[in-house]
Amino acid sequence: MSVLRRFFEISPSPTDTPELALAQWRALSRQVPLMYIMLVANTLILAWTHLDAAPVELTVYIPAALTAICLLRTITWWRSRERVLDPSRVRAKLRGIIWTGAAVALGFTAWSFSLFPYGDAYLQSQIAFYMGITTIGCMFCLMHVRVAALVVGICVLGPFAVFFSATGEETLVAIAINMVLVVAVLLIILLSNSRDFADLVDSRSAIARRQLETLRLGEENQRLANMDTLTGLPNRRSFDRHLATVLQEAELEGRRIVVGRLDLDGFKSINQIFGQLAGDRVLVEAARRIESLRRADSFVARLESNTFGLILVEPIDRQTLVHAGEVLCGAMRLSFEQPEGVIRLTASAGFAVSEPGDTGDQLFDRADYALSAAKREQRGSSVIFSEVHAKEISRVRQMEHLLYSADLDDEIYVVLQPQYDVSLGATTGFEVLARWRSPVLGEISPAEFIPMAERTGRISNVTQSVLRKALAISRTLPPSIRLSVNLSANDIGSTTAIEQIVALFERGRGPCQIDFEVTETAAMRDLKQANQSLLILLGLGARIALDDFGTGHSSLTHVQQLPLHRIKIDRSFVAEVTNDIASRAIVKTMVDLCRNLGISCVFEGVETEEQLQALVALGGTVMQGYFFGRPMAVDEVEAYLQRERARRSREDRAAG
């Protein structure tokens, strides 16, 4: 009983899991037909041995009916062996097997007992053997559905044991006992095998699930690796791969393609003013607008923070590209309605058309240069890469090569622009401005080579060359004249660069007449490091000026935290001081601020008498600009100072 109870308790039902039910059905589809064939064969043999002993009803008609039922079931199972069933249908059929097995077992058992009275001892023993061996065979065929096997065993074993024990014949009683023992052992074996079968199915199902999960994760990783999760657009990796494919196809077919880059102008300020979440929503909306405008054969991707990439295929002409640029940039000018407020921005775009032999990187770089040209010259619109841009790139690359290999002490020279104190009526200093005269390209504008030097890491070398010349010039000037030298963000952000500057001062020891000018933007990169660097320069006897004051983001904070002697008011305020009330108010505030802090201020870009008078009326004293003098060569400084001294002498005599 404990075996049976354990059998019922542990055995999984045919409805436990869909995978187990399907596996049981597949196993039975192979084994049940064999079971019915065995039943038919054994039944026909038993009926044949009883032909002369039992009535024809028991030896012909009933066996024929049982055989027909078995053959019909065999045909049914054979036809359904390849049929794909859903788990619910399989579960229903497995439950049906249990009841069918019970009915067939009882039917064959009853027929077997009906033959018993008509035979001699041999035939009676054959009946016992038939029932035992057939039951064991049927149970083995049904072993994957343990409940069905158990039901068949009980339906035969119970009547078998009672019937043969009741005969009183020792042999038949022994056979009944043997039958009980064999079936009990068989149940234990079936219990183990069925459990192993269920475990195997479960293991295979788990492996299949893991494989599916691995496949799903692989597909998900592939998707994530090639998709921008914020906007849902393809990412840079996908863009590069698609560009290589499309470019190769275009090369084979003799077609051209276009690569475009679209950049949201001033996007960083959106994150600073409205917050990161608002910025993300703007990017999502921008991506949606671009995606809604693209042609079916074009490709759009998000390349980086606020930059999108486009790949267009023919038909392409200049007019089409101009129109595409207008549409795209126009779509970005529409306001972005956000919970934080209405956000307005512009977008610039650059396009480059492929040429035979182009690589993806070359085409992308040309589109990037066109984008830079748009931001520099036509912000908020699009630019198509042209031959002019190609020449510019060639010149820039040549300039970079020449700058890297240049003898800076020989090729860099300086000019000096005076800084005039109107309260003293005298020049009190000069700003030292770097110029580059290349033996190959000739004169190169500072607007070109200074940013290039910063980008290529040569700016510190330029600074040291300029500073060496400034120190040499300062020794030829009166002690009251100071020279202002500009420092870049690389200079004040590098301990090594500061140490090299200190070394230059130590070699030319003497009274320091140098002022160092740093921009607010340079100080913002690393305010702590900038402060440390400037304190070291102060220890040399130098003074510090904050250049382009008013154009940064947190000017008052920087004025408070940096060790400053002077600030230079940006020329943008000076240009409007004569006709803009707000500019005059700002200038007045700056003058008062400097006075309260005990530092001086210099107004840059003074070009007219009207500007001078307006600034003086507001309290300004030190001026710099074309009105007082353009940048001059070093050998012109002495003559300039002599003319100034002569003018002052004439004014003093006239006043006396």
Side-chain angles (χ1 to χ4, degrees), residues 194-267:
S194 185
R195 183 170 57 244
D196 292 343
F197 177 76
D199 291 342
L200 177 61
V201 171
D202 183 64
S203 175
R204 288 179 176 175
S205 299
I207 292 173
R209 286 192 295 271
R210 284 196 295 271
Q211 290 175 337
L212 288 174
E213 180 65 13
T214 301
L215 181 62
R216 187 191 67 79
L217 290 175
E219 292 174 348
E220 179 68 10
N221 289 337
Q222 181 71 9
R223 185 182 68 84
L224 292 176
N226 293 280
M227 187 194 75
D228 174 58
T229 55
L230 176 63
T231 63
L233 292 177
N235 61 11
R236 177 63 185 268
R237 179 199 298 267
S238 182
F239 179 87
D240 290 341
R241 186 171 58 253
H242 188 76
L243 175 58
T245 301
V246 172
L247 193 59
Q248 184 178 24
E249 293 173 352
E251 186 80 13
L252 293 174
E253 298 171 7
R255 297 185 291 104
R256 297 192 301 170
I257 68 170
V258 172
V259 167
R261 290 196 63 183
L262 184 140
D263 189 271
L264 303 181
D265 301 322
F267 182 76

Side-chain angles (χ1 to χ4, degrees), residues 214-410:
T214 301
L215 181 62
R216 187 191 67 79
L217 290 175
E219 292 174 348
E220 179 68 10
N221 289 337
Q222 181 71 9
R223 185 182 68 84
L224 292 176
N226 293 280
M227 187 194 75
D228 174 58
T229 55
L230 176 63
T231 63
L233 292 177
N235 61 11
R236 177 63 185 268
R237 179 199 298 267
S238 182
F239 179 87
D240 290 341
R241 186 171 58 253
H242 188 76
L243 175 58
T245 301
V246 172
L247 193 59
Q248 184 178 24
E249 293 173 352
E251 186 80 13
L252 293 174
E253 298 171 7
R255 297 185 291 104
R256 297 192 301 170
I257 68 170
V258 172
V259 167
R261 290 196 63 183
L262 184 140
D263 189 271
L264 303 181
D265 301 322
F267 182 76
K268 183 178 180 181
S269 63
I270 293 177
N271 286 334
Q272 293 173 338
I273 297 171
F274 294 93
Q276 184 74 40
L277 291 178
D280 288 347
R281 288 194 293 269
V282 168
L283 288 173
V284 171
E285 174 60 17
R288 187 198 64 78
R289 294 180 186 181
I290 297 172
E291 180 70 12
S292 67
L293 293 172
R294 75 175 183 90
R295 296 189 316 203
D297 57 356
S298 62
F299 184 86
V300 176
R302 183 190 178 202
L303 304 181
E304 50 198 35
S305 174
N306 58 310
T307 304
F308 299 88
L310 303 93
I311 301 175
L312 312 176
V313 298
E314 287 189 321
I316 296 168
D317 53 44
R318 184 175 183 84
Q319 184 177 357
T320 301
L321 286 183
V322 170
H323 177 69
E326 291 175 351
V327 171
L328 285 170
C329 295
M332 297 302 110
R333 293 191 196 101
L334 300 176
S335 61
F336 293 80
E337 306 289 339
Q338 299 294 322
E340 294 81 1
V342 177
I343 297 176
R344 302 183 188 277
L345 51 76
T346 60
S348 302
F351 295 101
V353 183
S354 67
E355 300 292 342
D358 274 348
T359 65
D361 290 340
Q362 290 171 331
L363 189 55
F364 185 84
D365 287 344
R366 292 206 295 271
D368 184 57
Y369 190 85
L371 174 63
S372 300
K375 284 185 169 293
R376 184 175 64 249
E377 303 165 4
Q378 304 177 40
R379 181 176 288 264
S381 60
S382 64
V383 168
I384 302 172
F385 188 87
S386 65
E387 186 62 30
V388 173
H389 297 126
K391 292 179 180 178
E392 290 176 358
I393 290 178
S394 178
R395 174 178 167 81
V396 168
R397 289 175 178 171
Q398 186 181 25
M399 285 173 55
E400 287 185 357
H401 173 72
L402 292 173
L403 182 62
Y404 186 79
S405 59
D407 181 352
L408 295 179
D409 284 335
D410 183 53

Side-chain angles (χ1 to χ4, degrees), residues 548-551 555-556 567-570 572-573 583-597 599-601 603 618:
D548 298 335
F549 181 72
T551 61
S555 301
L556 294 179
I567 64 173
K568 300 185 73 176
I569 310 301
D570 187 69
S572 61
F573 296 101
S583 293
R584 287 198 294 272
I586 293 173
V587 169
K588 176 61 176 173
T589 301
M590 291 178 177
V591 171
D592 292 341
L593 173 68
C594 292
R595 183 182 298 112
N596 293 334
L597 293 175
I599 60 178
S600 63
C601 63
F603 289 95
L618 294 171

Side-chain angles (χ1 to χ4, degrees), residues 571 573-578 604-617 623 627:
R571 65 181 63 246
F573 296 101
V574 174
E576 301 294 330
V577 73
T578 59
E604 298 180 292
V606 181
E607 298 182 357
T608 67
E609 177 71 28
E610 291 78 10
Q611 290 174 345
L612 171 62
Q613 295 303 324
L615 293 173
V616 170
M623 314 289 177
F627 183 78

